[in-house]
Amino acid sequence: DVVLIQTPRSLPVTLGQPASISCRSSESLVDSDGNRYLSWFQQRPGQPPRLLIYKISNRFPGVPDRFSGSGAGTDFTLKISRVEVEDVGVYYCMQGKQHSNSFGQGTKLEIK
Amino acid sequence: EAQLEESGGHLVQPGGSQRLSCVASGFNIRNYWMTWVRQAPGKGLEWVANIKGDGSEKYYVDSVKGRFTISRDDGKNSLFLQMYSLRVEDTAIYYCARRQFDWYMGNTFDLWGQGTTVTVSS
């Protein structure tokens, strides 16, 4: 089974400053056909998860362009260029290389 | 507008059973894989099960294999999760989600319901 490790687990950020979350996979999430199977989700307090990024770097419609995803192989990053109050919540990476999906443990972003 | 709405979660004793429902609107579930994801109190997200559009393929997390069954009723445009032999550790909010599984989006969940709460306790 694919295991995803996120760091840091807690991320205090000053408003307007950038933020970065890392997700490391136990195996490559790019298959032999070049398909890329890493997504990022945001979960605001009391809300269901929301898709932010799919296939490593593709922003889902409606997601602000301050969110970006990058990475390859087993190392991936979610970046927020300038954190806003509405970005508070928990962020999860998820692998889709297998039919058995799995999530990282989550990173809690808070405002300093 | 595409939406998902779960129902059926409530308090049940250990060893009991429960059936969760998820009604889709704004799209036809027979054209999509669908999934259940759960979240224990104060914990992270855990994928539970996936089902293909025609119901021919189903996948489960190891901890629920043999106890949970995912199914769908295209006539009702609904997804279900039948849960047996419930354990305290199954206590969670259960979310249904639409799975995009294609070349364009890879393998991800693009639409989520608000969730329904299952509590397993004596």
Side-chain angles (χ1 to χ4, degrees):
Chain A
D1 293 352
V2 178
V3 177
L4 300 176
I5 303 296
Q6 287 183 231
T7 54
R9 297 296 308 279
S10 178
L11 184 57
V13 183
T14 301
L15 281 174
Q17 293 300 302
S20 180
I21 300 170
S22 172
C23 176
R24 177 165 289 179
S25 174
S26 59
E27 62 182 78
S28 176
L29 298 183
V30 180
D31 67 16
S32 56
D33 294 327
N35 295 310
R36 307 177 306 161
Y37 295 109
L38 191 284
S39 303
W40 289 96
F41 297 86
Q42 175 196 62
Q43 188 175 31
R44 292 170 172 155
Q47 295 294 314
R50 164 198 180 198
L51 176 63
L52 295 176
I53 303 288
Y54 62 95
K55 290 179 70 174
I56 300 177
S57 59
N58 294 272
R59 203 177 303 114
F60 192 60
V63 175
D65 61 8
R66 64 178 181 275
F67 290 92
S68 64
S70 63
T74 61
D75 291 290
F76 307 94
T77 302
L78 175 70
K79 291 183 179 178
I80 309 174
S81 58
R82 294 174 304 279
V83 169
E84 299 187 4
V85 171
E86 65 184 24
D87 300 335
V88 166
V90 182
Y91 292 80
Y92 298 91
C93 56
M94 184 192 78
Q95 67 83 16
K97 186 178 182 182
Q98 303 167 343
H99 279 292
S100 301
N101 298 87
S102 56
F103 292 90
Q105 323 98 297
T107 296
K108 186 174 184 178
L109 186 148
E110 60 183 21
I111 304 299
K112 276 185 185 176
Chain B
E1 179 189 4
Q3 290 184 332
L4 296 167
E5 184 174 357
E6 305 91 337
S7 62
H10 56 265
L11 174 64
V12 62
Q13 291 190 338
S17 62
Q18 199 161 126
R19 188 192 197 211
L20 305 183
S21 300
C22 172
V23 178
S25 58
F27 71 100
N28 197 325
I29 68 166
R30 69 165 61 97
N31 297 323
Y32 294 90
W33 284 78
M34 297 295 292
T35 194
W36 288 98
V37 173
R38 67 183 179 183
Q39 186 169 36
K43 301 298 184 182
L45 301 174
E46 180 182 39
W47 169 78
V48 175
N50 286 334
I51 184 169
K52 194 175 180 180
D54 62 4
S56 62
E57 295 181 43
K58 302 177 184 181
Y59 300 90
Y60 300 91
V61 67
D62 285 347
S63 60
V64 309
K65 283 179 182 176
R67 299 189 301 122
F68 289 12
T69 301
I70 188 171
S71 64
R72 56 200 299 149
D73 183 332
D74 292 343
K76 296 180 179 179
N77 215 28
S78 294
L79 176 72
F80 305 101
L81 187 67
Q82 179 66 56
M83 305 183 292
Y84 297 103
S85 303
L86 282 162
R87 306 167 180 168
V88 171
E89 55 265 34
D90 295 319
T91 295
I93 299 173
Y94 284 74
Y95 297 101
C96 71
R98 184 173 70 183
R99 184 191 192 202
Q100 294 286 359
F101 186 52
D102 55 29
W103 176 87
Y104 180 70
M105 292 194 71
N107 176 357
T108 192
F109 306 147
D110 72 332
L111 179 68
W112 296 69
Q114 290 295 314
T116 187
T117 300
V118 173
T119 303
V120 185
S121 174
S122 55

